mmCIF file of all heavy atoms in Angstrom:
data_model
loop_
_atom_site.group_PDB
_atom_site.id
_atom_site.type_symbol
_atom_site.label_atom_id
_atom_site.label_comp_id
_atom_site.label_asym_id
_atom_site.label_seq_id
_atom_site.Cartn_x
_atom_site.Cartn_y
_atom_site.Cartn_z
ATOM 1 N N ALA A 63 -72.217 10.976 61.341
ATOM 2 C CA ALA A 63 -73.711 11.150 61.842
ATOM 3 C C ALA A 63 -73.797 11.526 63.254
ATOM 4 O O ALA A 63 -72.910 11.161 64.023
ATOM 5 C CB ALA A 63 -74.447 10.009 61.337
ATOM 6 N N VAL A 64 -74.896 12.242 63.582
ATOM 7 C CA VAL A 64 -75.022 12.566 65.039
ATOM 8 C C VAL A 64 -76.411 11.928 65.338
ATOM 9 O O VAL A 64 -77.484 12.175 64.781
ATOM 10 C CB VAL A 64 -75.186 14.193 65.311
ATOM 11 C CG1 VAL A 64 -75.500 14.266 66.776
ATOM 12 C CG2 VAL A 64 -73.788 14.743 64.957
ATOM 13 N N TRP A 65 -76.416 10.962 66.311
ATOM 14 C CA TRP A 65 -77.516 10.356 66.710
ATOM 15 C C TRP A 65 -77.978 10.817 68.113
ATOM 16 O O TRP A 65 -77.195 11.101 69.097
ATOM 17 C CB TRP A 65 -77.402 8.877 66.799
ATOM 18 C CG TRP A 65 -77.508 8.141 65.440
ATOM 19 C CD1 TRP A 65 -77.632 8.708 64.277
ATOM 20 C CD2 TRP A 65 -77.341 6.737 65.253
ATOM 21 N NE1 TRP A 65 -77.602 7.744 63.242
ATOM 22 C CE2 TRP A 65 -77.407 6.560 63.783
ATOM 23 C CE3 TRP A 65 -77.088 5.718 66.032
ATOM 24 C CZ2 TRP A 65 -77.264 5.332 63.236
ATOM 25 C CZ3 TRP A 65 -76.990 4.367 65.440
ATOM 26 C CH2 TRP A 65 -77.137 4.234 64.006
ATOM 27 N N GLN A 66 -79.365 11.067 68.291
ATOM 28 C CA GLN A 66 -79.983 11.431 69.516
ATOM 29 C C GLN A 66 -80.979 10.463 69.897
ATOM 30 O O GLN A 66 -82.161 10.761 69.563
ATOM 31 C CB GLN A 66 -80.483 12.903 69.476
ATOM 32 C CG GLN A 66 -79.475 14.024 68.923
ATOM 33 C CD GLN A 66 -79.939 14.790 67.846
ATOM 34 O OE1 GLN A 66 -80.722 14.385 67.087
ATOM 35 N NE2 GLN A 66 -79.261 15.964 67.666
ATOM 36 N N PRO A 67 -80.594 9.409 70.497
ATOM 37 C CA PRO A 67 -81.533 8.260 70.578
ATOM 38 C C PRO A 67 -82.677 8.669 71.522
ATOM 39 O O PRO A 67 -82.621 9.305 72.621
ATOM 40 C CB PRO A 67 -80.745 7.176 71.456
ATOM 41 C CG PRO A 67 -79.313 7.510 70.968
ATOM 42 C CD PRO A 67 -79.280 8.996 70.983
ATOM 43 N N GLN A 68 -83.950 8.277 71.096
ATOM 44 C CA GLN A 68 -85.252 8.477 71.777
ATOM 45 C C GLN A 68 -85.982 7.211 71.588
ATOM 46 O O GLN A 68 -85.960 6.717 70.418
ATOM 47 C CB GLN A 68 -85.890 9.770 71.327
ATOM 48 C CG GLN A 68 -85.081 11.049 71.452
ATOM 49 C CD GLN A 68 -85.575 12.195 70.592
ATOM 50 O OE1 GLN A 68 -86.627 12.810 71.209
ATOM 51 N NE2 GLN A 68 -85.202 12.530 69.440
ATOM 52 N N PHE A 69 -86.725 6.778 72.551
ATOM 53 C CA PHE A 69 -87.562 5.598 72.517
ATOM 54 C C PHE A 69 -89.091 5.884 72.733
ATOM 55 O O PHE A 69 -89.266 6.398 73.900
ATOM 56 C CB PHE A 69 -87.030 4.538 73.195
ATOM 57 C CG PHE A 69 -87.720 3.171 73.095
ATOM 58 C CD1 PHE A 69 -87.690 2.508 71.976
ATOM 59 C CD2 PHE A 69 -88.575 2.632 74.145
ATOM 60 C CE1 PHE A 69 -88.335 1.193 71.693
ATOM 61 C CE2 PHE A 69 -89.213 1.457 73.916
ATOM 62 C CZ PHE A 69 -89.156 0.837 72.812
ATOM 63 N N TRP A 70 -89.925 5.508 71.886
ATOM 64 C CA TRP A 70 -91.326 5.760 72.110
ATOM 65 C C TRP A 70 -92.079 4.581 71.907
ATOM 66 O O TRP A 70 -91.831 3.709 71.103
ATOM 67 C CB TRP A 70 -91.882 6.829 71.169
ATOM 68 C CG TRP A 70 -91.117 8.230 71.204
ATOM 69 C CD1 TRP A 70 -90.544 8.892 72.203
ATOM 70 C CD2 TRP A 70 -90.549 8.927 69.942
ATOM 71 N NE1 TRP A 70 -89.912 9.977 71.719
ATOM 72 C CE2 TRP A 70 -89.812 9.961 70.434
ATOM 73 C CE3 TRP A 70 -90.786 8.742 68.650
ATOM 74 C CZ2 TRP A 70 -89.338 10.943 69.541
ATOM 75 C CZ3 TRP A 70 -90.164 9.569 67.763
ATOM 76 C CH2 TRP A 70 -89.450 10.754 68.219
ATOM 77 N N VAL A 71 -93.152 4.323 72.655
ATOM 78 C CA VAL A 71 -94.007 3.266 72.601
ATOM 79 C C VAL A 71 -95.333 3.769 72.299
ATOM 80 O O VAL A 71 -95.944 4.604 73.005
ATOM 81 C CB VAL A 71 -94.022 2.301 73.866
ATOM 82 C CG1 VAL A 71 -95.042 1.144 73.688
ATOM 83 C CG2 VAL A 71 -92.691 1.640 74.186
ATOM 84 N N TYR A 72 -96.076 3.212 71.259
ATOM 85 C CA TYR A 72 -97.375 3.665 70.958
ATOM 86 C C TYR A 72 -98.197 2.464 70.215
ATOM 87 O O TYR A 72 -97.515 1.434 70.022
ATOM 88 C CB TYR A 72 -97.342 4.818 69.947
ATOM 89 C CG TYR A 72 -96.652 4.614 68.629
ATOM 90 C CD1 TYR A 72 -97.283 4.154 67.465
ATOM 91 C CD2 TYR A 72 -95.249 4.697 68.557
ATOM 92 C CE1 TYR A 72 -96.662 4.007 66.393
ATOM 93 C CE2 TYR A 72 -94.607 4.552 67.356
ATOM 94 C CZ TYR A 72 -95.350 4.113 66.265
ATOM 95 O OH TYR A 72 -94.647 3.895 65.126
ATOM 96 N N GLY A 73 -99.414 2.737 69.991
ATOM 97 C CA GLY A 73 -100.097 1.623 69.391
ATOM 98 C C GLY A 73 -101.667 1.945 69.291
ATOM 99 O O GLY A 73 -102.106 2.987 69.604
ATOM 100 N N THR A 74 -102.504 0.870 68.838
ATOM 101 C CA THR A 74 -103.823 1.060 68.843
ATOM 102 C C THR A 74 -104.400 -0.258 69.322
ATOM 103 O O THR A 74 -104.102 -1.445 68.853
ATOM 104 C CB THR A 74 -104.217 1.227 67.256
ATOM 105 O OG1 THR A 74 -103.707 2.505 66.803
ATOM 106 C CG2 THR A 74 -105.757 1.406 67.199
ATOM 107 N N PHE A 75 -105.418 -0.113 70.122
ATOM 108 C CA PHE A 75 -106.230 -1.239 70.674
ATOM 109 C C PHE A 75 -107.698 -1.140 70.040
ATOM 110 O O PHE A 75 -108.233 -0.082 69.970
ATOM 111 C CB PHE A 75 -106.307 -1.254 72.167
ATOM 112 C CG PHE A 75 -107.206 -2.263 72.692
ATOM 113 C CD1 PHE A 75 -106.848 -3.645 72.700
ATOM 114 C CD2 PHE A 75 -108.551 -1.986 73.204
ATOM 115 C CE1 PHE A 75 -107.762 -4.592 73.149
ATOM 116 C CE2 PHE A 75 -109.379 -2.975 73.603
ATOM 117 C CZ PHE A 75 -108.975 -4.179 73.685
ATOM 118 N N ARG A 76 -108.153 -2.243 69.480
ATOM 119 C CA ARG A 76 -109.523 -2.373 68.970
ATOM 120 C C ARG A 76 -110.219 -3.500 69.516
ATOM 121 O O ARG A 76 -109.716 -4.593 69.638
ATOM 122 C CB ARG A 76 -109.482 -2.459 67.411
ATOM 123 C CG ARG A 76 -108.631 -1.436 66.625
ATOM 124 C CD ARG A 76 -108.489 -1.822 65.217
ATOM 125 N NE ARG A 76 -109.688 -1.952 64.468
ATOM 126 C CZ ARG A 76 -109.762 -2.391 63.172
ATOM 127 N NH1 ARG A 76 -108.792 -2.624 62.475
ATOM 128 N NH2 ARG A 76 -110.988 -2.402 62.702
ATOM 129 N N SER A 77 -111.411 -3.259 69.802
ATOM 130 C CA SER A 77 -112.352 -4.333 70.311
ATOM 131 C C SER A 77 -113.623 -4.211 69.623
ATOM 132 O O SER A 77 -114.237 -3.126 69.695
ATOM 133 C CB SER A 77 -112.483 -4.363 71.839
ATOM 134 O OG SER A 77 -113.179 -5.453 72.344
ATOM 135 N N ALA A 78 -114.106 -5.256 69.010
ATOM 136 C CA ALA A 78 -115.275 -5.115 68.036
ATOM 137 C C ALA A 78 -116.372 -6.172 68.672
ATOM 138 O O ALA A 78 -116.071 -7.391 68.715
ATOM 139 C CB ALA A 78 -115.041 -5.326 66.678
ATOM 140 N N LEU A 79 -117.493 -5.786 68.778
ATOM 141 C CA LEU A 79 -118.782 -6.624 68.948
ATOM 142 C C LEU A 79 -119.582 -6.524 67.610
ATOM 143 O O LEU A 79 -120.073 -5.538 67.208
ATOM 144 C CB LEU A 79 -119.616 -6.121 70.051
ATOM 145 C CG LEU A 79 -120.855 -6.924 70.283
ATOM 146 C CD1 LEU A 79 -120.612 -8.309 70.675
ATOM 147 C CD2 LEU A 79 -121.695 -6.309 71.376
ATOM 148 N N GLN A 80 -119.600 -7.580 66.851
ATOM 149 C CA GLN A 80 -120.239 -7.778 65.640
ATOM 150 C C GLN A 80 -121.041 -8.942 65.250
ATOM 151 O O GLN A 80 -120.746 -9.991 65.732
ATOM 152 C CB GLN A 80 -119.177 -7.288 64.527
ATOM 153 C CG GLN A 80 -117.920 -8.313 64.657
ATOM 154 C CD GLN A 80 -116.713 -7.709 63.922
ATOM 155 O OE1 GLN A 80 -116.594 -6.593 63.595
ATOM 156 N NE2 GLN A 80 -115.884 -8.633 63.572
ATOM 157 N N SER A 81 -122.008 -8.764 64.450
ATOM 158 C CA SER A 81 -122.923 -9.943 64.114
ATOM 159 C C SER A 81 -123.354 -9.718 62.693
ATOM 160 O O SER A 81 -123.657 -8.611 62.105
ATOM 161 C CB SER A 81 -124.097 -9.989 64.985
ATOM 162 O OG SER A 81 -124.926 -10.973 64.679
ATOM 163 N N PHE A 82 -123.442 -10.782 61.886
ATOM 164 C CA PHE A 82 -123.806 -10.718 60.479
ATOM 165 C C PHE A 82 -124.594 -12.186 60.264
ATOM 166 O O PHE A 82 -124.432 -13.223 60.805
ATOM 167 C CB PHE A 82 -122.758 -10.546 59.484
ATOM 168 C CG PHE A 82 -121.731 -11.590 59.405
ATOM 169 C CD1 PHE A 82 -121.859 -12.721 58.602
ATOM 170 C CD2 PHE A 82 -120.675 -11.693 60.267
ATOM 171 C CE1 PHE A 82 -120.840 -13.623 58.526
ATOM 172 C CE2 PHE A 82 -119.709 -12.681 60.255
ATOM 173 C CZ PHE A 82 -119.705 -13.773 59.329
ATOM 174 N N ASP A 83 -125.556 -11.976 59.229
ATOM 175 C CA ASP A 83 -126.383 -13.178 59.052
ATOM 176 C C ASP A 83 -126.776 -13.082 57.606
ATOM 177 O O ASP A 83 -126.785 -12.034 56.875
ATOM 178 C CB ASP A 83 -127.566 -13.257 59.937
ATOM 179 C CG ASP A 83 -128.173 -14.651 60.015
ATOM 180 O OD1 ASP A 83 -127.574 -15.519 59.323
ATOM 181 O OD2 ASP A 83 -129.357 -14.796 60.549
ATOM 182 N N ASN A 84 -127.159 -14.238 56.999
ATOM 183 C CA ASN A 84 -127.824 -14.173 55.633
ATOM 184 C C ASN A 84 -128.991 -15.329 55.655
ATOM 185 O O ASN A 84 -129.213 -15.997 56.676
ATOM 186 C CB ASN A 84 -126.796 -14.619 54.708
ATOM 187 C CG ASN A 84 -125.835 -15.852 54.850
ATOM 188 O OD1 ASN A 84 -126.464 -16.836 55.367
ATOM 189 N ND2 ASN A 84 -124.583 -15.822 54.722
ATOM 190 N N ASP A 85 -129.485 -15.478 54.563
ATOM 191 C CA ASP A 85 -130.749 -16.376 54.311
ATOM 192 C C ASP A 85 -130.371 -17.790 54.450
ATOM 193 O O ASP A 85 -131.241 -18.602 54.647
ATOM 194 C CB ASP A 85 -131.288 -16.180 52.989
ATOM 195 C CG ASP A 85 -132.003 -14.708 52.880
ATOM 196 O OD1 ASP A 85 -132.230 -14.163 53.923
ATOM 197 O OD2 ASP A 85 -132.349 -14.325 51.777
ATOM 198 N N LEU A 86 -128.984 -18.064 54.433
ATOM 199 C CA LEU A 86 -128.459 -19.472 54.519
ATOM 200 C C LEU A 86 -128.183 -19.812 55.848
ATOM 201 O O LEU A 86 -127.877 -20.983 56.228
ATOM 202 C CB LEU A 86 -127.241 -19.615 53.660
ATOM 203 C CG LEU A 86 -127.400 -19.321 52.050
ATOM 204 C CD1 LEU A 86 -126.052 -19.470 51.494
ATOM 205 C CD2 LEU A 86 -128.453 -20.341 51.486
ATOM 206 N N GLY A 87 -128.288 -18.868 56.905
ATOM 207 C CA GLY A 87 -128.094 -19.134 58.301
ATOM 208 C C GLY A 87 -126.639 -19.495 58.576
ATOM 209 O O GLY A 87 -126.327 -20.164 59.574
ATOM 210 N N THR A 88 -125.674 -18.905 57.745
ATOM 211 C CA THR A 88 -124.294 -19.124 58.047
ATOM 212 C C THR A 88 -123.527 -17.949 58.590
ATOM 213 O O THR A 88 -122.419 -17.776 58.368
ATOM 214 C CB THR A 88 -123.549 -19.546 56.746
ATOM 215 O OG1 THR A 88 -123.880 -18.564 55.725
ATOM 216 C CG2 THR A 88 -124.165 -20.783 56.209
ATOM 217 N N GLY A 89 -124.296 -17.108 59.432
ATOM 218 C CA GLY A 89 -123.725 -15.862 59.888
ATOM 219 C C GLY A 89 -122.944 -16.228 61.200
ATOM 220 O O GLY A 89 -122.672 -17.390 61.571
ATOM 221 N N ARG A 90 -122.580 -15.196 61.892
ATOM 222 C CA ARG A 90 -121.675 -15.258 63.060
ATOM 223 C C ARG A 90 -121.847 -13.995 63.867
ATOM 224 O O ARG A 90 -121.975 -12.965 63.470
ATOM 225 C CB ARG A 90 -120.228 -15.470 62.778
ATOM 226 C CG ARG A 90 -119.209 -15.739 63.876
ATOM 227 C CD ARG A 90 -117.865 -15.745 63.513
ATOM 228 N NE ARG A 90 -117.552 -16.972 62.726
ATOM 229 C CZ ARG A 90 -116.340 -17.355 62.374
ATOM 230 N NH1 ARG A 90 -115.240 -16.528 62.685
ATOM 231 N NH2 ARG A 90 -116.152 -18.399 61.600
ATOM 232 N N SER A 91 -121.733 -14.314 65.375
ATOM 233 C CA SER A 91 -121.742 -13.187 66.264
ATOM 234 C C SER A 91 -120.400 -13.348 66.982
ATOM 235 O O SER A 91 -120.038 -14.526 67.459
ATOM 236 C CB SER A 91 -122.840 -13.183 67.076
ATOM 237 O OG SER A 91 -124.144 -13.002 66.422
ATOM 238 N N GLU A 92 -119.680 -12.242 67.306
ATOM 239 C CA GLU A 92 -118.476 -12.410 67.904
ATOM 240 C C GLU A 92 -118.028 -11.136 68.689
ATOM 241 O O GLU A 92 -118.579 -10.033 68.322
ATOM 242 C CB GLU A 92 -117.334 -12.736 66.867
ATOM 243 C CG GLU A 92 -117.191 -11.695 65.841
ATOM 244 C CD GLU A 92 -116.219 -12.107 64.785
ATOM 245 O OE1 GLU A 92 -115.693 -13.217 64.716
ATOM 246 O OE2 GLU A 92 -115.989 -11.289 63.818
ATOM 247 N N LEU A 93 -117.244 -11.235 69.683
ATOM 248 C CA LEU A 93 -116.580 -10.240 70.381
ATOM 249 C C LEU A 93 -115.057 -10.483 70.347
ATOM 250 O O LEU A 93 -114.547 -11.412 70.989
ATOM 251 C CB LEU A 93 -117.056 -10.137 71.834
ATOM 252 C CG LEU A 93 -116.298 -9.063 72.714
ATOM 253 C CD1 LEU A 93 -116.474 -7.616 72.131
ATOM 254 C CD2 LEU A 93 -116.793 -9.163 74.168
ATOM 255 N N VAL A 94 -114.415 -9.713 69.442
ATOM 256 C CA VAL A 94 -112.940 -10.023 69.266
ATOM 257 C C VAL A 94 -112.184 -8.736 69.542
ATOM 258 O O VAL A 94 -112.683 -7.652 69.370
ATOM 259 C CB VAL A 94 -112.782 -10.449 67.767
ATOM 260 C CG1 VAL A 94 -113.235 -11.766 67.631
ATOM 261 C CG2 VAL A 94 -113.437 -9.536 66.726
ATOM 262 N N SER A 95 -110.812 -8.892 69.637
ATOM 263 C CA SER A 95 -109.934 -7.761 70.091
ATOM 264 C C SER A 95 -108.742 -7.855 69.184
ATOM 265 O O SER A 95 -108.166 -8.883 68.846
ATOM 266 C CB SER A 95 -109.649 -7.678 71.518
ATOM 267 O OG SER A 95 -110.798 -7.671 72.318
ATOM 268 N N ARG A 96 -108.105 -6.672 68.971
ATOM 269 C CA ARG A 96 -106.839 -6.722 68.298
ATOM 270 C C ARG A 96 -105.961 -5.674 68.991
ATOM 271 O O ARG A 96 -106.366 -4.468 69.297
ATOM 272 C CB ARG A 96 -107.146 -6.198 66.761
ATOM 273 C CG ARG A 96 -105.855 -5.910 66.040
ATOM 274 C CD ARG A 96 -106.074 -5.766 64.493
ATOM 275 N NE ARG A 96 -105.004 -5.193 63.763
ATOM 276 C CZ ARG A 96 -105.031 -5.019 62.541
ATOM 277 N NH1 ARG A 96 -105.942 -5.328 61.788
ATOM 278 N NH2 ARG A 96 -103.911 -4.528 61.908
ATOM 279 N N LEU A 97 -104.655 -5.738 69.125
ATOM 280 C CA LEU A 97 -103.702 -4.774 69.606
ATOM 281 C C LEU A 97 -102.494 -4.742 68.706
ATOM 282 O O LEU A 97 -101.815 -5.867 68.439
ATOM 283 C CB LEU A 97 -103.330 -5.225 71.004
ATOM 284 C CG LEU A 97 -102.171 -4.331 71.617
ATOM 285 C CD1 LEU A 97 -102.573 -2.906 71.795
ATOM 286 C CD2 LEU A 97 -101.761 -4.891 72.912
ATOM 287 N N ASP A 98 -102.275 -3.530 68.162
ATOM 288 C CA ASP A 98 -101.084 -3.263 67.349
ATOM 289 C C ASP A 98 -100.049 -2.400 68.209
ATOM 290 O O ASP A 98 -100.493 -1.231 68.403
ATOM 291 C CB ASP A 98 -101.455 -2.588 66.110
ATOM 292 C CG ASP A 98 -102.254 -3.396 65.001
ATOM 293 O OD1 ASP A 98 -103.399 -3.622 65.263
ATOM 294 O OD2 ASP A 98 -101.645 -3.863 64.096
ATOM 295 N N LEU A 99 -99.079 -2.897 68.678
ATOM 296 C CA LEU A 99 -98.158 -2.243 69.524
ATOM 297 C C LEU A 99 -96.719 -2.081 69.015
ATOM 298 O O LEU A 99 -96.107 -3.095 68.438
ATOM 299 C CB LEU A 99 -98.098 -2.962 70.963
ATOM 300 C CG LEU A 99 -97.519 -2.320 72.101
ATOM 301 C CD1 LEU A 99 -98.392 -1.078 72.490
ATOM 302 C CD2 LEU A 99 -97.383 -3.244 73.342
ATOM 303 N N PHE A 100 -96.192 -0.839 68.997
ATOM 304 C CA PHE A 100 -94.973 -0.493 68.401
ATOM 305 C C PHE A 100 -94.100 0.093 69.402
ATOM 306 O O PHE A 100 -94.427 0.960 70.183
ATOM 307 C CB PHE A 100 -95.221 0.376 67.176
ATOM 308 C CG PHE A 100 -96.043 -0.189 66.210
ATOM 309 C CD1 PHE A 100 -97.451 0.034 66.068
ATOM 310 C CD2 PHE A 100 -95.476 -1.011 65.067
ATOM 311 C CE1 PHE A 100 -98.240 -0.376 65.054
ATOM 312 C CE2 PHE A 100 -96.208 -1.477 64.070
ATOM 313 C CZ PHE A 100 -97.675 -1.248 64.124
ATOM 314 N N GLY A 101 -92.703 -0.175 69.207
ATOM 315 C CA GLY A 101 -91.775 0.514 69.837
ATOM 316 C C GLY A 101 -90.692 1.214 68.789
ATOM 317 O O GLY A 101 -90.261 0.427 67.961
ATOM 318 N N ASN A 102 -90.620 2.483 68.931
ATOM 319 C CA ASN A 102 -89.837 3.202 67.910
ATOM 320 C C ASN A 102 -88.521 3.814 68.568
ATOM 321 O O ASN A 102 -88.623 4.613 69.477
ATOM 322 C CB ASN A 102 -90.687 4.367 67.321
ATOM 323 C CG ASN A 102 -90.009 5.161 66.260
ATOM 324 O OD1 ASN A 102 -90.247 4.851 65.084
ATOM 325 N ND2 ASN A 102 -89.132 6.139 66.616
ATOM 326 N N LEU A 103 -87.357 3.354 68.142
ATOM 327 C CA LEU A 103 -86.227 3.869 68.466
ATOM 328 C C LEU A 103 -85.760 4.816 67.549
ATOM 329 O O LEU A 103 -85.129 4.349 66.414
ATOM 330 C CB LEU A 103 -85.062 2.685 68.772
ATOM 331 C CG LEU A 103 -83.749 3.167 69.124
ATOM 332 C CD1 LEU A 103 -83.793 3.938 70.351
ATOM 333 C CD2 LEU A 103 -82.857 1.937 69.123
ATOM 334 N N GLN A 104 -85.900 6.170 67.747
ATOM 335 C CA GLN A 104 -85.541 7.202 66.820
ATOM 336 C C GLN A 104 -84.084 7.551 67.087
ATOM 337 O O GLN A 104 -83.872 8.066 68.189
ATOM 338 C CB GLN A 104 -86.496 8.396 67.139
ATOM 339 C CG GLN A 104 -86.547 9.281 65.945
ATOM 340 C CD GLN A 104 -87.161 8.770 64.670
ATOM 341 O OE1 GLN A 104 -88.076 8.011 64.830
ATOM 342 N NE2 GLN A 104 -86.672 9.255 63.460
ATOM 343 N N LEU A 105 -83.309 7.408 66.149
ATOM 344 C CA LEU A 105 -81.919 7.661 66.270
ATOM 345 C C LEU A 105 -81.447 9.034 65.758
ATOM 346 O O LEU A 105 -80.677 9.771 66.287
ATOM 347 C CB LEU A 105 -81.063 6.599 65.598
ATOM 348 C CG LEU A 105 -81.265 5.152 65.999
ATOM 349 C CD1 LEU A 105 -80.554 4.232 65.158
ATOM 350 C CD2 LEU A 105 -80.867 4.978 67.399
ATOM 351 N N SER A 106 -82.132 9.548 64.659
ATOM 352 C CA SER A 106 -82.066 10.856 64.117
ATOM 353 C C SER A 106 -83.317 11.160 63.346
ATOM 354 O O SER A 106 -84.257 10.496 63.434
ATOM 355 C CB SER A 106 -80.803 10.809 63.168
ATOM 356 O OG SER A 106 -81.028 10.164 62.035
ATOM 357 N N GLY A 107 -83.271 12.248 62.706
ATOM 358 C CA GLY A 107 -84.329 12.546 61.907
ATOM 359 C C GLY A 107 -84.664 11.676 60.703
ATOM 360 O O GLY A 107 -85.756 11.622 60.176
ATOM 361 N N SER A 108 -83.669 10.909 60.258
ATOM 362 C CA SER A 108 -83.791 9.961 59.182
ATOM 363 C C SER A 108 -83.546 8.483 59.441
ATOM 364 O O SER A 108 -83.818 7.667 58.629
ATOM 365 C CB SER A 108 -82.924 10.415 57.924
ATOM 366 O OG SER A 108 -81.700 10.563 58.378
ATOM 367 N N GLU A 109 -83.080 8.291 60.653
ATOM 368 C CA GLU A 109 -82.717 6.928 60.956
ATOM 369 C C GLU A 109 -83.493 6.438 62.201
ATOM 370 O O GLU A 109 -83.659 7.145 63.143
ATOM 371 C CB GLU A 109 -81.261 6.571 61.342
ATOM 372 C CG GLU A 109 -80.333 6.520 60.038
ATOM 373 C CD GLU A 109 -80.105 7.878 59.404
ATOM 374 O OE1 GLU A 109 -79.902 8.795 60.116
ATOM 375 O OE2 GLU A 109 -80.310 7.825 58.197
#
């Protein structure tokens, strides 16, 4: 096999301001965030 190592970092950041409520008064308001971060070590086209 011939490997040509390459390393890439990518991801997705999400931040949501959201509120919900119902007739029972058990809703919620929140500002929350999420980060999905990946490091990809590409060795070849298939590895």
